[in-house]
Amino acid sequence: MAEKLQAPRGTFDVLPEEGRRRAVLRDSVELLLDRAGYGPFESPVFEDTELFARGVGESTDIVQKEMFTFEDKAGRSLTLRPEGTAGACRAYVEHGMHKLPQPVKLRYWGPFFRHEAPQAGRFRQFTQIGAEALGSDDPSLDAELILLLAEILKRAGINCRLRLSSLGNADTRVAYNEELRAFLRSRESMLAEEVRERIDTNPLRAFDADHAGTKATMTEAPRLVDRLDPDDAEHFDEVKALLDEAGCAYELDPTLVRGLDYYTRTVFEFESPDLGAQSGVGGGGRYDGLVEQLGGPPTSGVGWAAGIERMLLAGTGEAGAAAPVFIAIAKPERSRDALALARALWLNGVHAQMEQAGRSMKGQMKHADRVGAEWTVILGDAVEVKRMETGEQREVAGLDEAVEAVTP
Ligand code: HAM
């Protein structure tokens, strides 16, 4: 026998039962985002490597360690997208979307790729649902996006907390990073090696470290939220007020660090205690400089993405398959009628399956139970319909009458 092949490390197949849960989740999320004006958006799963290097940031883990990068036949460097915001901003510039009425609201669902060590809730190919609003810095957009994600996670039955912070603007960050670097240098001996190595490139990551000495040191570190410009502080106050008004609970967390460099002002993350180490279900924030960084006009933006696999791991979302009608064939000469009946039911909006594996009559009735049939139509000398829950069975005049009898 030939050697068996397996899906690559960190990837998975979606079999129909799980696929149904995903489809139900996708439908409910997309319906909600559509109501709020977020239109469907798709972009390629691979892009020029440059997009992510510039967009996500050279010093991030994503760009330094986690990208699936390859050369095409013409020697261009391409990368499987590790996230969706950079691609959305690239498309905004490429299609001149700044000329459309603002804000432009996009939603997406699709595969993303990060070369991380696989573990529960962490894959190399995973699925994100995301929403982005480009072209306005109105704080109601930050609040609306957070409220939409909160509602989506609630509907999916996920128990989670919301961490919220503000990173201010690029200038504030530069000045703050200098202050933080000086602080970190003054206590270098207390810090983890990994943090020491990044004092120059990414001092903010010190807040993210698991190392005990680093953690203790960071409780005394200066905080960016205390250094915000008046405009940014006012913007953040308005976002918080809108969330308060909507009754949305959040925890202010000045140590919140997101693994992407493009954020300005609002940042947030929803975390679920039911997920273990990979507790982030969804997160995002404002990125007012990103479009310009990618060659477009100065443009504000805000958005989030949530991981579908983590949502389904943490949630109680139920499979939404409707109970089908099962068509049993008591006489082989009626098998053509069975397909005709199945088709009539499908066109009538009814889920229907017919016998297709040569089972005995007893086997067919067992199978009807197994697929969770609500009704079984039995095609023999006569046409009979059986209500599976009660066992009640009666003869009907023909196929049309069977359709009528089992259609809700
Ligand atoms: P992110 O926090 O890097 O943000 O990813 C969003 C979500 O994707 C995470 O909360 C997690 O649920 C899921 N996720 C990330 N990596 C993996 C993985 N290896 N395996 C399974 N799930 C994963 C972003 O990607 C930003 N683009 C969000 C954003 C949109 N910010 C502004 N707009």
Side-chain angles (χ1 to χ4, degrees), residues 62 66 82-86 108 112-117 119 121-133 258-260 262-263 268-270 275 278-287 301-311:
I62 293 183
E66 297 171 2
E83 64 95 51
T85 311
Y108 50 88
F112 291 85
F113 307 84
R114 293 184 194 175
H115 198 288
E116 298 189 81
Q119 61 179 79
R122 192 162 73 193
F123 308 95
R124 290 184 173 172
Q125 176 175 339
F126 55 97
T127 316
Q128 280 187 354
I129 178 108
E132 315 283 354
R258 306 253 317 123
L260 306 117
Y262 47 62
Y263 292 115
F268 56 92
E269 195 154 277
F270 286 86
L275 278 175
Q278 301 306 314
S279 59
V281 199
R286 190 163 268 293
Y287 44 89
V302 56
W304 51 254
I308 301 314
E309 292 77 22
R310 289 191 195 169
M311 286 178 71

Side-chain angles (χ1 to χ4, degrees), residues 351-362:
H351 288 64
Q353 300 172 23
M354 58 180 274
E355 171 56 26
Q356 286 163 320
R359 291 180 190 82
S360 69
M361 205 43 218
K362 198 172 150 208

Side-chain angles (χ1 to χ4, degrees), residues 201-220:
T201 51
N202 199 350
L204 279 173
R205 287 301 298 272
F207 284 110
D208 224 9
D210 261 340
H211 174 257
T214 309
K215 275 188 159 167
T217 308
M218 295 318 283
T219 58
E220 289 160 30

Side-chain angles (χ1 to χ4, degrees), residues 142-192:
D142 308 49
E144 122 178 349
L145 279 157
I146 292 173
L147 293 170
L148 284 166
L149 183 52
E151 179 63 27
I152 286 164
L153 297 175
K154 185 174 138 203
R155 286 188 188 186
I158 297 166
N159 158 29
C160 57
R161 66 186 185 116
L162 166 59
R163 297 166 68 202
L164 179 70
S165 190
S166 174
L167 299 179
N169 61 46
D171 291 341
T172 313
R173 253 166 104 173
V174 170
Y176 170 74
N177 280 354
E178 259 330 300
E179 185 184 353
L180 183 61
R181 279 190 194 103
F183 170 84
L184 293 172
R185 281 201 197 97
S186 73
R187 334 229 154 165
E188 247 185 280
S189 61
M190 309 282 291
L191 304 175

